[in-house]
Amino acid sequence: MAQKKIIATASLAGCFGCHMSILDIDERILDLVELVEFNKSPITDIKSFTKECDIGLVEGGCCNDENVHTLIEFRRHCTILVALGECAIMGGLPSLRNEIPLAECLREAYIDGPGMSEANPAGIVPADPDIPRILDRIYPCHEVVKIDYSLPGCPPRADLIWEALVALVTGRELILPYDSFKYD
Amino acid sequence: MSRKIVIEPLTRVEGHGKVTIHLDDQGEVVQSRLHIVEFRGFERFVQGRPYWEAPVLVQRLCGICPVSHHLAAAKAMDVIVGAGTGDGLTPTAEKMRRLMHYGQIFQSHSLHFFHLASPDLLFGYDSPPETRNVIGVIMANRELATQAVLMRKYGQEIIAATAGKKIHGTGAVPGGINKNLSIAERDVLLKGPHPMNADAMVRYAQGALDFFKDYYSKHKEFIDNFSRFPSNHLSLVRPDGALDFYDGVLRAVDADGRKILHDVECQDYLAHIREEVRSWTYMKFPYLRHLGPEKGWYRVGPLARLNTADFVPSPLAQEEFEAFRKVTGGRPNDMCMHTHWARLIETLHAAEMIRDLLRDADLQGSDLVVRGKREAEGVGIIEAPRGTLFHHYRVSPDDQIVMANLIVSTTNNNEPMNRAVNNVARALMTKAKEITEGMMNAVEVAIRAYDPCLSCATHAYGSMALAVSLCDASGNVIAQRTR
Ligand code: SF4
């Protein structure tokens, strides 16, 4: 049998829906594990790359400095890097904050929100060396590193993810049907 | 030499977080923290959007339990459009939403138990990380894995049939629902070829419970005592005290089972709940206002629900509930790992409810939406798979959202999860010569029992790998180990 392809996945500023859509390939996941080997991924316990990977799937854009590091690391370790879903491709829902100064978002969450003046009289806003710094706006993946392929959808539907994985693993060409170009 | 241990990113939980543990010169744990490392700013950027967008927008906080956000927002918007709280909808709308929600609970609980938690049970939390995952489960126990995949699939198909799409559907609208369930759709779910039908799913859920109980009988010591500590418990209950995931009143009990929040109306939540802010995490710390942050923190989720509810309104799950309650003699159960047990009892309840609902002809009704007197403010509360979820909005006369406040399930469990980390760290790492990978995973096992959905928690804010850093007294890293 040919060498198994190695896959890594990451969720950056996404909602995990794209990862859930991977699981929605249902029974085919039983075949997938025969076809590929998973490396760094939130569904395994492998927390940093132990091997160079053939395919990296990235969900979500970058909202903090840690996302940027993770994405650069994925680019370094993956031969092919795929932006999975609207957030990775264009920023998605989190990028609604791009038009709003970050300070206003923080104020609303921690200081101005209902009941906050009572519960947080000191007006604490989280800031600590142990939590990443938030970026001024959401950066879609292609603004940070070179992206080889994009799979559209919010999330990309499971069949499309399956077709794409099979195409990448077997070196076939993937035809993206026109009706998959929507971000519903 | 003092040490700082970092577990990052946490894996097999859903979302983004990390753990730090500080050991002093004597090897005592002096501080441990679960940090939620992302921030989204949702409460602010949803302002200015038209209110009817909320149910579709907000679910993008979380692709793991999107239905819960979808429905909590829709329930708040029901109030805004004058459709009332909970009982104002048409029977078709309410039952379609309930079916959607039971589908969600069923798929999410199955996913959590099999894909995320079972590897620790099947292989042991100190087994090699390369196989300690769902792929390892597939390789080791194909039958169990196949069953898990099909249970999740069935729940997702229910969601697709009611919401239009498996992830991020659009079924619920302010004041109702936008489709009913056709006879053809119903028959597929009710009488599909084995095992993709309602009866088979009830049996699968029973099988999962048997699997757990068998494990429990062999590992009683671990399941009873791992990361156990007393707490308050909070959830919605039906006004008659029944377990209800979709609607009800807010109830909290203390560690001895005394009621400390007496069945209050959802619209009044803000009179009773506050959230503390700490500088080292983006996730806030909710507490019961009259008790204050020190004493008023509480647990939510399956364990809490079975502690607050008086009974379960479906026969098979009620029987299991009675057995579950017997273990603690009717007192609240504070055994962290029993959360898995509670989750499986709820899975069975969801399966029974799905089976019964599918036979209800109201699902084929055509009266889908109601409207009444427009209100300026609405609260929607629901029991998401991981616990109580609060959505609260104010809407201007020109239909724009002007205020949004969300307290997600995982945020409600912030304090308990931090305590769980502290417990395990103290028990396993104090004076330990070497910090092993297994010890670090044990910390995650404790967190995983809460099934934290850190994506949700990030809404306002959002995987966890493992790295240990040894630091000297002045905090300089002198050695590092990753896995
Ligand atoms: S593209 Fe959609 S499903 Fe994927 S992470 Fe973003 S919001 Fe979630």
Side-chain angles (χ1 to χ4, degrees), chain A residues 64-126:
Chain A
N64 62 34
D65 54 356
E66 200 171 271
N67 294 152
V68 173
H69 288 303
T70 308
L71 185 55
I72 291 172
E73 205 198 354
F74 262 70
R75 180 68 275 180
R76 273 206 197 111
H77 291 282
C78 302
T79 312
I80 294 172
L81 199 55
V82 182
L84 187 64
E86 175 182 358
C87 294
I89 300 172
M90 304 193 293
L93 176 104
S95 65
L96 280 179
R97 88 158 159 87
N98 286 0
E99 300 301 312
I100 301 161
L102 176 60
E104 273 186 39
C105 294
L106 291 166
R107 264 200 86 83
E108 186 65 29
Y110 301 110
I111 297 175
D112 292 342
M116 291 316 293
S117 57
E118 178 189 317
N120 185 18
I124 296 168
V125 171

Side-chain angles (χ1 to χ4, degrees), chain B residues 290-347:
Chain B
H290 68 286
L291 295 176
E294 282 295 313
K295 294 208 176 91
W297 61 275
Y298 52 82
R299 264 190 253 223
V300 299
L303 190 68
R305 285 191 287 252
L306 295 198
N307 283 328
T308 52
D310 300 326
F311 65 99
V312 178
S314 69
L316 297 173
Q318 168 66 17
E319 222 172 277
E320 300 289 341
F321 172 74
E322 283 164 20
F324 176 84
R325 270 296 180 85
K326 221 161 139 196
V327 172
T328 52
R331 278 169 57 91
N333 186 324
D334 60 12
M335 293 174 267
C336 172
M337 297 304 276
H338 284 222
T339 310
H340 294 300
W341 188 1
R343 188 175 290 115
L344 292 169
I345 295 174
E346 291 191 340
T347 310

Side-chain angles (χ1 to χ4, degrees), chain B residues 64-78:
Chain B
I64 297 150
C65 54
V67 168
S68 311
H69 287 286
H70 183 58
L71 292 176
K75 284 178 68 180
M77 295 313 165
D78 292 345

Side-chain angles (χ1 to χ4, degrees), chain A residues 116-154:
Chain A
M116 291 316 293
S117 57
E118 178 189 317
N120 185 18
I124 296 168
V125 171
D128 192 273
D130 278 320
I131 50 178
R133 275 184 302 181
I134 306 167
L135 303 177
D136 59 331
R137 66 176 176 89
I138 307 287
Y139 294 80
C141 293
H142 70 87
E143 286 191 33
V144 179
V145 298
K146 176 176 172 287
I147 292 291
D148 301 301
Y149 296 103
S150 297
L151 274 187
C154 178

Side-chain angles (χ1 to χ4, degrees), chain A residues 10-27:
Chain A
S11 174
L12 309 179
C15 76
F16 258 77
C18 291
H19 272 79
M20 290 299 115
S21 203
I22 300 177
L23 294 182
D24 279 338
I25 64 174
D26 298 328
E27 301 93 309

